[in-house]
């Protein structure tokens, strides 16, 4: 079974206030006498479902073309927090506990890829809502320390909408955790899946729009 957890790009796709909207412009049209249909697209690399490259928050960070494919494809767990506001370490521990019982070391190894399902999945593709769930830097650190390689969220960012210093982005970066944003996890049951999240291969770029799929 396949779940498409990608938001659909349209000229109405909601973007961060001030960011470049999506435009899709026909440059050749068969109904206008052209031999085929062709469009030109302009958009922010962070519009819709996308993968952030380390370059997004560090000039020295890798571009999206250099993010390893073995991070972007592999086992992943979906957990529902159904919340807005700060996601704390305690929230994550609570959500992960039933599936990963505590050991002497605290928690058993976490999944390498974790997708967080919040109320943002119920927000339409064309609606901007700044009240999404974000991670405290401590929560991001806790995930990184426990070996996470990829974090996915249905929210537009892992930091609050008005954050300028992006502490959760930077905490994930410190641990080499790749961030996927603007997923749509509506109708996806909490479970373990195979994640396939492939961003466009754009040289030295800060992000790449991606088609993201979960396979059971
Ligand atoms: Zn982004």
């Amino acid at each position: 079974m396949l779940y498409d957890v990608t938001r659909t790009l349209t000229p109405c796709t909601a973007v961060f206030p001030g960011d470049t909207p999506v435009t899709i412009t026909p440059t050749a049209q068969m109904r206008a006498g052209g031999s085929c249909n062709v469009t030109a697209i302009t958009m922010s690399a962070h519009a819709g479902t996308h993968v952030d490259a380390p370059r997004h928050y560090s000039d020295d960070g890798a571009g999206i073309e250099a993010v390893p494919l073995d991070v972007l494809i592999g086992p992943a767990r979906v957990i529902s927090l159904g919340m807005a506001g700060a996601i704390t370490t305690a929230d994550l521990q609570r959500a992960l506990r039933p599936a990963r019982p505590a050991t002497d070391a605290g928690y058993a190894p976490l999944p390498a890829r974790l997708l967080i399902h919040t109320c943002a999945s119920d927000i339409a593709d064309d609606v901007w809502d700044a009240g999404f769930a974000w991670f405290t830097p401590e929560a991001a650190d806790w995930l990184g320390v426990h070996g996470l390689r990829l974090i996915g969220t249905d929210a537009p960012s892992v930091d609050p909408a008005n954050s300028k210093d992006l502490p959760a982005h930077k905490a994930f970066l410190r641990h080499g955790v790749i961030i996927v944003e603007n997923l749509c996890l509506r109708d996806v049951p909490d479970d373990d899946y195979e994640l396939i999240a492939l961003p466009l291969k754009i040289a030295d770029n800060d992000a790449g729009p991606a088609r993201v799929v979960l396979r059971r």
Side-chain angles (χ1 to χ4, degrees):
M1 171 138 190
L2 289 170
Y3 291 92
D4 187 351
V5 294
T6 316
R7 290 188 177 270
T8 303
L9 288 170
T10 75
C12 299
T13 292
V15 296
F16 254 80
D19 206 355
T20 307
V22 178
T23 63
I24 302 171
T25 309
T27 54
Q29 288 182 288
M30 295 178 75
R31 66 170 173 237
S35 59
C36 55
N37 294 314
V38 181
T39 53
I41 299 172
T42 60
M43 59 185 282
S44 166
H46 300 260
T49 305
H50 65 280
V51 180
D52 278 353
R55 178 69 52 83
H56 182 37
Y57 23 88
S58 165
D59 280 339
D60 301 327
I64 194 64
E65 83 286 12
V67 173
L69 292 176
D70 67 354
V71 176
L72 299 165
I73 301 175
R77 180 167 304 157
V78 175
I79 60 170
S80 288
L81 297 180
M83 56 186 287
I87 298 171
T88 65
T89 307
D91 294 326
L92 294 168
Q93 289 173 338
R94 232 184 338 267
L96 289 162
R97 185 172 293 134
R100 306 299 304 184
T103 66
D104 291 347
Y107 279 78
L110 300 187
R113 300 164 195 81
L114 189 61
L115 307 185
I116 307 293
H117 182 181
T118 73
C119 48
S121 283
D122 296 321
I123 294 172
D125 293 346
D126 58 352
V127 174
W128 170 256
D129 184 343
F132 53 79
W134 44 274
F135 295 79
T136 66
E138 294 76 19
D141 270 326
W142 183 79
L143 289 169
V145 163
H146 285 81
L148 196 74
R149 302 187 72 197
L150 179 146
I151 185 75
T153 173
D154 51 10
S157 178
V158 295
D159 280 294
N162 60 0
S163 174
K164 294 285 177 254
D165 50 355
L166 305 175
H169 276 88
K170 289 175 180 167
F172 283 125
L173 175 65
R174 276 198 299 279
H175 296 283
V177 178
I178 295 300
I179 301 168
V180 184
E181 292 168 332
N182 271 335
L183 295 166
C184 184
L185 295 164
R186 194 174 48 225
D187 305 325
V188 179
D190 285 11
D191 207 345
D192 289 330
Y193 299 89
E194 181 190 19
L195 170 74
I196 303 162
L198 295 176
L200 293 180
K201 191 176 182 182
I202 308 170
D204 296 324
N205 212 58
D206 52 277
R211 187 70 178 259
V212 183
V213 173
L214 293 172
R215 178 156 56 191
R216 179 125 67 170

